[in-house]
């Protein structure tokens, strides 16, 4: 699963981006990678480890919902939410 979000473009500053994606590790666990910053500049990256894919997907959805409340818009989404 991969979600790329961005704030609306304004005249006074470049848009901000927020990128969430899922990565399987070599031991069968899952990482949620979060990247954010201003377009065209170096940003920050954080990885959070989860034992199951379901827990990692839940974290991605929670992260997406939190950023939507802050004014970000989903620009690209790959993969699907699994039914609960």
């Amino acid at each position: 699963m991969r979600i790329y979000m961005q704030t609306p473009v304004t005249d006074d500053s470049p848009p901000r981006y927020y990128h969430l994606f899922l990565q399987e590790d070599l031991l069968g666990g899952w990482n949620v990678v979060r990247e954010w910053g201003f377009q065209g500049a170096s940003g920050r990256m954080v990885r959070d480890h989860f034992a199951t894919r379901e827990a990692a997907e839940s974290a991605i959805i929670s992260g997406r919902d939190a950023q939507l409340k802050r004014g970000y818009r989903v620009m690209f989404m790959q993969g699907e939410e699994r039914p609960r």
Side-chain angles (χ1 to χ4, degrees), residues 15-63:
R16 294 184 59 83
Y17 70 91
Y18 202 91
H19 186 196
L20 296 153
F21 59 96
L22 200 58
Q23 232 178 17
E24 187 172 14
D25 69 14
L26 296 174
L27 302 175
W30 293 87
N31 292 314
V32 171
V33 181
R34 299 179 292 139
E35 294 181 73
W36 67 92
F38 285 102
Q39 288 291 101
S42 59
R44 294 194 58 203
M45 181 188 331
V46 174
R47 284 186 175 93
D48 298 312
H49 185 267
F50 296 89
T52 65
R53 182 180 176 109
E54 291 78 19
E57 286 179 347
S58 178
I60 282 183
I61 299 306
S62 296

Side-chain angles (χ1 to χ4, degrees), residues 70-81:
R70 295 186 67 214
Y72 285 81
R73 296 180 185 161
V74 174
M75 305 304 282
F76 174 80
M77 185 168 173
Q78 180 181 21
E80 295 182 17
E81 292 182 45

